[in-house]
Amino acid sequence: MKILVIGGTNFIGPAVVRQLYAMGHEVTVFHRGKTAAELPEGIQHILGDRSALSQMKSEFERLSPQVVVDMFPYTEADAIALMNIFQGIAERVVAISSMDVYRAYAVFLQIESTPVEPVPLTENSALRQQLHLFREMAERPLNAPADYEKILVERVVMNSADLTGTIVRLPMVYGTQDPLNRLFPYLKRMDEDRPAIVLPESIAQWRGSYGYVENVAYAIALAATNERAKGRIYHVADAEVLTEAERLSRVGRVAGW
Ligand SMILES: NC(=O)c1ccc[n+]([C@@H]2O[C@H](COP(=O)([O-])OP(=O)(O)OC[C@H]3O[C@@H](n4cnc5c(N)ncnc54)[C@H](OP(=O)(O)O)[C@@H]3O)[C@@H](O)[C@H]2O)c1
């Protein structure tokens, strides 16, 4: 199958690209050429900026991918441009979303004050009512733009009359090349051979939802290549949900601390 990955060279993208390639697919990545990743030699690159996606139409038509995996649709405008350009070219678009769409996330941030959401969250769990949570943040994660909003991205991708969509919602992703260095504060203390790592009780008992990058990438690759994923939303995360204290103890054991 011919697959175009929009992005694909930072953190989760390379793992997805390698997985799709290992499954025998013909993979092309579209990015600006600013971020380099170790990808197999057989991967094709198309260089360009997604802010000018429409200018690349003839190149995408020549490639004629069956599936487009958009690794970083951040805004409603990104999603509209994506669906507009690939209708008539691709059969399906897979858009990467986040568990920040859930109302539970807004409750966690104390922005919405509904009763605590029942867990585990599923694809059918309630979504936030308030949009554009990142707008007020001084430092937005992953350099997200002010109008970042995965709820609107999902809506556009799932409601296109002309092109089928699939959504994959990701948890907090960890693994090699994690740009957020989620484990760094703990690994640093372990490397310093501290006798203990002190956590506030509220953090120690907290059960966050995580996913290992290679597993998450495998799930995205399956969603991209399996016909049954048409028109569906998937929530991907490690099945085992540890407290933060348990998680760090396990990391400590692996790190020899
Ligand atoms: N990390 C987490 O814990 C987490 C949690 C939930 C959801 N997510 C979602 O996972 C996705 C991000 O994953 P990732 O960064 O690992 O993806 P990635 O596909 O590995 O990297 C992002 C890619 O975007 C390209 N890019 C950036 N700006 C561009 C532009 N204007 N035009 C064209 N290409 C551009 C970069 O290459 P160039 O710099 O060369 O252009 C890079 O290849 C996002 O959708 C995020 O919301 C992540």
Side-chain angles (χ1 to χ4, degrees):
M1 192 185 273
K2 242 192 246 177
I3 300 174
L4 173 67
V5 175
I6 299 193
T9 62
N10 184 35
F11 171 43
I12 307 165
V16 174
V17 171
R18 284 191 292 265
Q19 182 61 53
L20 288 169
Y21 189 70
M23 289 163 125
H25 300 290
E26 197 182 311
V27 187
T28 302
V29 289
F30 169 74
H31 64 112
R32 294 165 306 177
K34 291 191 177 179
T35 312
E38 271 185 38
L39 297 177
E41 274 188 13
I43 303 299
Q44 307 294 315
H45 293 250
I46 296 178
L47 297 185
D49 196 309
R50 79 172 305 153
S51 60
L53 209 56
S54 60
Q55 289 170 18
M56 311 293 297
K57 186 158 185 174
S58 55
E59 195 136 1
F60 294 140
E61 276 168 343
R62 254 196 311 278
L63 182 71
S64 65
Q66 282 135 295
V67 174
V68 177
V69 178
D70 190 345
M71 287 302 306
F72 68 108
Y74 280 164
T75 67
E76 183 178 33
D78 285 345
I80 292 172
L82 173 78
M83 299 311 271
N84 282 344
I85 197 151
F86 287 107
Q87 71 180 58
I89 297 181
E91 290 161 22
R92 189 156 65 91
V93 161
V94 178
I96 304 308
S97 183
S98 162
M99 64 176 182
D100 70 26
V101 296
Y102 294 115
R103 184 190 285 170
Y105 183 60
V107 174
F108 172 73
L109 293 180
Q110 300 183 320
I111 290 168
E112 288 181 30
S113 60
T114 54
V116 171
E117 290 287 310
V119 289
L121 298 176
T122 73
E123 291 81 356
N124 299 321
S125 295
L127 301 187
R128 280 183 275 116
Q129 280 158 347
Q130 203 164 317
L131 297 180
H132 298 118
L133 288 191
F134 288 8
R135 207 167 254 171
E136 307 305 325
M137 288 183 188
E139 273 186 42
R140 293 182 215 107
L142 299 168
N143 294 324
D147 51 351
Y148 169 97
E149 184 47 85
K150 295 278 191 187
I151 290 180
L152 297 180
V153 168
E154 289 192 3
R155 228 177 256 168
V156 171
V157 171
M158 294 304 281
N159 292 321
S160 163
D162 308 302
L163 185 54
T164 309
T166 297
I167 301 292
V168 185
R169 293 180 182 152
L170 305 189
M172 289 180 279
V173 183
Y174 60 93
T176 313
Q177 306 288 343
D178 171 10
L180 296 174
N181 296 308
R182 291 190 194 277
L183 285 173
F184 176 75
Y186 302 120
L187 287 172
K188 182 172 178 295
R189 288 166 173 76
M190 291 170 189
D191 279 351
E192 289 166 358
D193 212 17
R194 305 257 189 113
I197 296 174
V198 179
L199 300 176
E201 188 66 20
S202 58
I203 300 280
Q205 295 305 321
W206 183 57
R207 291 173 194 272
S209 182
Y210 289 90
Y212 176 53
V213 64
E214 297 294 335
N215 294 340
V216 164
Y218 186 50
I220 294 171
L222 288 180
T225 54
N226 196 315
E227 288 281 299
R228 284 183 299 166
K230 277 184 172 173
R232 298 196 61 178
I233 296 179
Y234 294 95
H235 173 122
V236 169
D238 288 347
E240 189 184 27
V241 184
L242 304 171
T243 66
E244 206 63 2
E246 287 163 346
R247 200 171 76 88
L248 295 182
S249 301
R250 281 202 196 177
V251 171
R253 279 202 292 281
V254 173
W257 176 69

